[in-house]
Amino acid sequence: MIEKKQNRILDEFDRLYPDAKCELHYTTPLELLIAVLLSAQTTDASVNKVTPELFKKYHSASDYRDANQEDIEQLIRRIGLYRNKARSIKKMAAMLCEKYDGEVPQSINELITLPGVGRKTASVVVGEAFYVPSVPVDTHVERVSKRLGFAKNEDSVLTVEKKLKRTLPRERWNKLHHQFIFFGRYFCKAQSPRCKECQLVDLCKEKNKKL
DNA sequence: ATCCCGAGGG
DNA sequence: CCCTCTGGAT
């Protein structure tokens, strides 16, 4: 990608979303880890509706390990995939207690060994809770990256991540991650991209395809 | 009908 | 690579 185009995009993201940040509600690394795990295939807003009750009832990793799985299921049922997520939370908490003294590990390689924690979740946690430069690729980052030419449509999420890391300044990774998400979530949406108002249409691969 | 800060299993 | 898990919002 031409550097000029790239800088235009980053400038536009700064103009649109100077204060982009994580929209999941949490107060500790463990709460963040659980909130991100819950966020699969649902919206952050939906996750924020169920976590207050969840975080009120359970606090430590051992609380989740010893919890009744059906109790967790009931608390999170509305966000979907609730059986898998409840099971993952319990198993993840058990491993945290066994191998990490109940604390959340601070590296991606350690985090992805936890049940229910994949590369995207691990990347979010290290970037958000421990300030490790990272580029988590979720559905928004993937879509926006492909539309704006940071990656090709046939690229896997891992390839998208590699290309973004190769292209974007490392000191801006964590902020840009959120700016990509804000742009995808509120502007360049999956079904309704606001192409006519978009300052970047000229370099978009899908201009005029949808609206 | 499609999408939402995915991960695990086949 | 594919499929499944799942409710809620639009």
Side-chain angles (χ1 to χ4, degrees):
Chain A
M1 166 174 281
I2 312 288
E3 192 178 335
K4 187 81 187 296
K5 291 183 178 178
Q6 171 199 318
N7 288 333
R8 253 189 70 202
I9 295 170
L10 303 198
D11 287 348
E12 178 64 0
F13 284 0
D14 272 335
R15 187 184 73 80
L16 288 171
Y17 308 112
D19 302 314
K21 59 176 172 49
C22 180
E23 297 198 299
L24 290 168
H25 297 164
Y26 70 96
T27 60
T28 66
L30 180 61
E31 286 187 357
L32 175 65
L33 176 58
I34 290 171
V36 179
L37 189 153
L38 293 176
S39 71
Q41 294 301 106
T42 190
T43 60
D44 283 10
S46 296
V47 173
N48 290 335
K49 288 178 185 171
V50 305
T51 46
E53 285 292 320
L54 190 68
F55 295 162
K56 184 180 178 184
K57 184 163 184 175
Y58 310 105
H59 300 93
S60 66
S62 59
D63 291 340
Y64 289 100
R65 176 198 61 195
D66 300 334
N68 180 300
Q69 188 170 318
E70 290 183 10
D71 288 344
I72 298 179
E73 288 180 7
Q74 294 315 307
L75 287 171
I76 67 173
R77 174 148 32 106
R78 287 181 299 157
I79 63 177
L81 306 181
Y82 62 93
R83 279 187 280 263
N84 288 343
K85 288 172 181 176
R87 192 185 327 121
S88 291
I89 287 173
K90 269 191 66 92
K91 294 174 71 175
M92 175 188 77
M95 189 179 291
L96 286 177
C97 293
E98 285 178 29
K99 303 197 173 184
Y100 298 101
D101 198 28
E103 300 295 309
V104 177
Q106 304 193 14
S107 74
I108 289 181
N109 286 338
E110 290 173 308
L111 282 162
I112 59 178
T113 67
L114 300 170
V117 179
R119 184 168 185 83
K120 198 232 66 171
T121 299
S123 297
V124 171
V125 170
V126 298
E128 185 70 20
F130 305 124
Y131 308 103
V132 177
S134 65
V135 182
V137 178
D138 66 5
T139 183
H140 297 300
V141 176
E142 179 179 9
R143 183 180 66 255
V144 170
S145 295
K146 290 179 176 179
R147 284 179 175 171
L148 292 180
F150 286 98
K152 298 180 179 178
N153 284 330
E154 60 268 28
D155 287 342
S156 67
V157 287
L158 192 58
T159 301
V160 173
E161 178 182 335
K162 286 176 181 170
K163 288 185 173 180
L164 287 173
K165 284 182 169 177
R166 196 192 307 157
T167 306
L168 305 173
R170 177 184 284 261
E171 66 274 14
R172 297 178 64 179
W173 283 359
N174 288 3
K175 180 67 167 288
L176 279 166
H177 159 62
H178 291 116
Q179 291 175 321
F180 270 71
I181 287 181
F182 271 52
F183 186 67
R185 182 180 292 164
Y186 301 118
F187 199 108
C188 188
K189 296 191 257 188
Q191 305 115 306
S192 58
R194 293 150 59 186
C195 301
K196 292 184 178 177
E197 322 165 44
C198 183
Q199 300 298 120
L200 303 169
V201 268
D202 56 303
L203 45 82
C204 179
K205 290 181 176 178
E206 295 190 22
K207 53 184 170 186
N208 299 328
K209 279 192 178 179
K210 295 184 177 181
L211 189 63

